[in-house]
Amino acid sequence: MDRLASFANDPFDKPPCRGCSSYLTEPYIKCAECGPSPFLLCLQCFTRGFEYKKHQSDHKYEIMTSDFPVLEPGWTAQEEMALLEAVMDCGFGNWQDVAYQMRTKTKEECESHYMKNFINNPLFSSTLLSLRKAKDSRFAEGAIPFKPSDDPPRPTFDSVLSRDMAGYMPARADFMEEFDNYAEWDLKDIDFVDDDSDILRALKLAVVDIYHSRLKERQRRKKIIRDHGLINLRKFQMLERCYPKEVQELYDVMRRFARVVGPTEHDKFIESHALEFELRREIRRLQEYRKAGIKSFCSAKVYERVKRMREDERRKRTMLFDVLQYIQDGRACQQWLSKQAAIDAGVTPAVTTITVSATGRRSAPPLNLTGLPGTEKLNEREKELCQVVRLVPGAYLEYKQALLNECRRQGGLRLAQARALIKIDVNKTRKIYDFLIKEGYITKA
């Protein structure tokens, strides 16, 4: 029976007990014969002789604990880890708060132990010295021998590789078409001669200064493209798609600030926000578990499975409610059955809802105006017109204003004039024209 150390004192860092699924607290038992994944048991399950699949109660075992001294007597391994974490959290020298977080040692004990074993310890001093020597040995004292590098890629003009690299020519470190490509045109006719007046000479020098500033801007943009790896835009976009949708939107917004920071700092900034997004999503999931009264991960798995089943049933009921509105239409019922069969087969249904009128002509369902810009500017009758005609509110308001202006200018408006003014489907134009006549917005000519 071996006595091993588990330095992690957080029970959430270890797998749960295989017997009762509770969080493990030291000391606990690890089977020495089951593997490769560790088979861990709490003391209660171990004393009951818990057996599971290949694990038998007579297997060799190890007692996992960190209750033993490491650097000096009186300080266990668990206390050593707690001291390092407290110093990291509270800061070096803040021994009062360190002792308060430790709760098992006084301020003087924490300070003396830390200074003795982690600051003035010759073992750590020799280790730091060896690391410093290894770092210094990386830099050669003499000249570095020259080694010719491989030729950079030289894509032909208008090839696929050239288009992917945005016309960049690595052998020249230039683009085929530079930023502000015609900046040199302002200098091609300038010639400094001795008989130039002071004003003319100052004007020519100002033009040269302007040209220098444009060259600096060209070099600055080229450096940003090189440093951030934007030459191969397709590869950059593929890497960007690895992030979640919300982080991709943040990436698009924050890309304009990449020019003021280095590429490493910008990537760290995006990665930190991606990590924050993942943490917030995990926190919301745990809060949902807590709100539902779930206290173990086994119960959380059952909850997620039941939640998915409930969402599937709700989606089926919604689809059934949709098809009941068109129950008299055989084609709509057939579409619903096809959609249901696709869901049962695990395939995302892609069937559009199309109704058929009594005359046999297809007609689309009313337009959903929820969230469309300009909806709040319409009254109820105008909303109903846009839904039936399937016209977005912004376009309707534009057509309405055009017809009102033409009616005021001519003192009246005919249908033919409305059709000539609005270049859309003639049936939609008639419905809009009749509606505006009925509501009194315009008058017939």
Side-chain angles (χ1 to χ4, degrees):
M1 181 177 64
D2 297 330
R3 192 163 180 254
L4 302 179
S6 176
F7 291 108
N9 55 5
D10 189 357
F12 297 92
D13 292 339
K14 297 184 286 292
C17 173
R18 299 297 293 271
C20 59
S21 300
S22 61
Y23 292 112
L24 294 172
T25 56
E26 295 180 355
Y28 59 93
I29 306 300
K30 175 185 177 182
C31 180
E33 299 182 15
C34 297
S37 59
F39 193 93
L40 307 180
L41 291 174
C42 63
L43 294 181
Q44 290 77 9
C45 295
F46 175 74
T47 55
R48 291 200 306 266
F50 176 80
E51 296 182 352
Y52 180 74
K53 292 184 179 180
K54 296 183 179 181
H55 175 71
Q56 302 296 325
S57 59
D58 57 349
H59 281 183
K60 296 180 181 180
Y61 61 93
E62 301 171 350
I63 299 177
M64 308 298 292
T65 180
S66 59
D67 188 17
F68 63 93
V70 177
L71 298 177
E72 66 179 31
W75 282 78
T76 63
Q78 187 172 357
E79 291 177 335
E80 298 284 358
M81 295 298 298
L83 174 62
L84 295 177
E85 292 177 358
V87 173
M88 185 182 300
D89 295 338
C90 303
F92 178 78
N94 194 4
W95 303 114
Q96 184 67 36
D97 293 341
V98 170
Y100 179 79
Q101 184 169 333
M102 286 281 298
R103 296 186 180 276
T104 58
K105 302 293 181 180
T106 63
K107 177 179 71 173
E108 292 76 15
E109 291 175 339
C110 293
E111 181 179 2
S112 62
H113 181 78
Y114 189 88
M115 298 296 296
K116 175 184 177 181
N117 294 279
F118 297 100
I119 300 299
N120 302 322
N121 193 338
L123 175 63
F124 291 104
S125 301
S126 60
T127 304
L128 293 175
L129 181 61
S130 62
L131 291 176
R132 187 177 297 109
K133 290 181 178 179
K135 181 179 179 181
D136 295 338
S137 63
R138 296 179 183 177
F139 302 95
E141 296 179 356
I144 300 176
F146 171 76
K147 294 183 179 179
S149 60
D150 296 334
D151 285 342
R154 303 172 186 267
T156 59
F157 176 71
D158 204 23
S159 62
V160 178
L161 181 58
S162 177
R163 289 194 295 269
D164 289 343
M165 297 173 63
Y168 183 72
M169 296 175 288
R172 296 177 51 186
D174 288 331
F175 285 91
M176 194 168 297
E177 184 174 348
E178 296 284 356
F179 168 75
D180 200 359
N181 200 41
Y182 301 99
E184 289 77 7
W185 282 28
D186 296 336
L187 295 178
K188 63 185 181 65
D189 296 328
I190 292 182
D191 187 16
F192 289 89
V193 294
D194 296 337
D195 56 351
D196 286 341
S197 62
D198 294 340
I199 297 178
L200 182 59
R201 187 176 182 84
L203 179 61
K204 291 181 180 180
L205 291 175
V207 172
V208 174
D209 291 339
I210 294 173
Y211 171 69
H212 285 167
S213 63
R214 295 165 76 177
L215 285 184
K216 290 180 181 179
E217 179 64 19
R218 179 187 296 175
Q219 294 299 325
R220 187 185 72 86
R221 290 174 178 256
K222 191 184 301 184
K223 184 177 184 300
I224 292 174
I225 292 175
R226 287 193 196 127
D227 294 345
H228 289 269
L230 302 178
I231 293 177
N232 195 338
L233 186 59
R234 184 177 301 177
K235 182 179 179 181
F236 180 80
Q237 292 174 346
M238 291 178 62
L239 294 175
E240 189 176 319
R241 294 193 189 101
C242 298
Y243 296 109
K245 182 179 179 182
E246 292 80 1
V247 182
Q248 290 182 16
E249 296 176 354
L250 174 67
Y251 211 125
D252 294 336
V253 175
M254 301 306 298
R255 185 181 291 125
R256 68 193 66 180
F257 298 104
R259 57 187 177 182
V260 298
V261 296
T264 305
E265 290 77 6
H266 183 67
D267 290 343
K268 287 182 179 180
F269 176 76
I270 299 298
E271 290 289 344
S272 62
H273 278 75
L275 178 60
E276 179 188 3
F277 170 75
E278 295 293 338
L279 292 176
R280 288 181 180 274
R281 184 169 60 181
E282 187 67 17
I283 290 173
R284 287 194 297 267
R285 186 170 68 91
L286 296 177
Q287 288 176 345
E288 181 183 359
Y289 293 161
R290 178 61 61 87
K291 187 177 181 181
I294 297 174
K295 299 181 179 180
S296 64
F297 284 106
C298 294
S299 302
K301 293 180 180 178
V302 177
Y303 172 79
E304 290 291 344
R305 184 168 63 253
V306 174
K307 180 181 177 181
R308 287 193 298 268
M309 295 172 58
R310 184 166 60 247
E311 291 177 353
D312 293 340
E313 292 295 331
R314 184 184 298 112
R315 185 168 60 251
K316 291 180 180 179
R317 288 196 301 269
T318 303
M319 295 175 62
L320 180 61
F321 176 77
D322 293 340
V323 79
L324 286 178
Q325 299 179 4
Y326 311 102
I327 196 62
Q328 303 298 330
D329 188 354
R331 182 172 299 181
C333 292
Q334 187 64 33
Q335 289 178 355
W336 183 85
L337 292 175
S338 300
K339 191 181 299 185
Q340 185 66 32
I343 291 178
D344 295 338
V347 182
T348 303
V351 181
T352 56
T353 305
I354 300 176
T355 61
V356 182
S357 61
T359 59
R361 182 178 180 181
R362 292 188 177 185
S363 59
L367 179 64
N368 186 9
L369 303 181
T370 304
L372 294 179
T375 306
E376 68 280 356
K377 299 179 182 179
L378 306 180
N379 55 36
E380 295 300 326
R381 292 184 297 276
E382 289 178 327
K383 291 180 181 179
E384 183 179 356
L385 173 67
C386 291
Q387 289 176 346
V388 174
V389 182
R390 295 187 61 80
L391 193 65
V392 295
Y396 165 75
L397 293 173
E398 182 179 351
Y399 298 152
K400 174 184 174 182
Q401 188 63 37
L403 295 178
L404 290 176
N405 294 338
E406 187 67 17
C407 182
R408 293 193 193 100
R409 189 174 67 85
Q410 297 187 5
L413 192 65
R414 297 195 304 271
L415 178 60
Q417 294 173 332
R419 287 176 175 173
L421 192 62
I422 304 177
K423 302 297 183 180
I424 58 175
D425 183 64
V426 293
N427 296 322
K428 291 185 178 181
T429 305
R430 171 178 282 277
K431 292 180 180 179
I432 297 174
Y433 178 79
D434 294 341
F435 174 80
L436 296 178
I437 291 291
K438 181 180 178 181
E439 295 296 325
Y441 290 107
I442 61 176
T443 57
K444 290 185 179 181

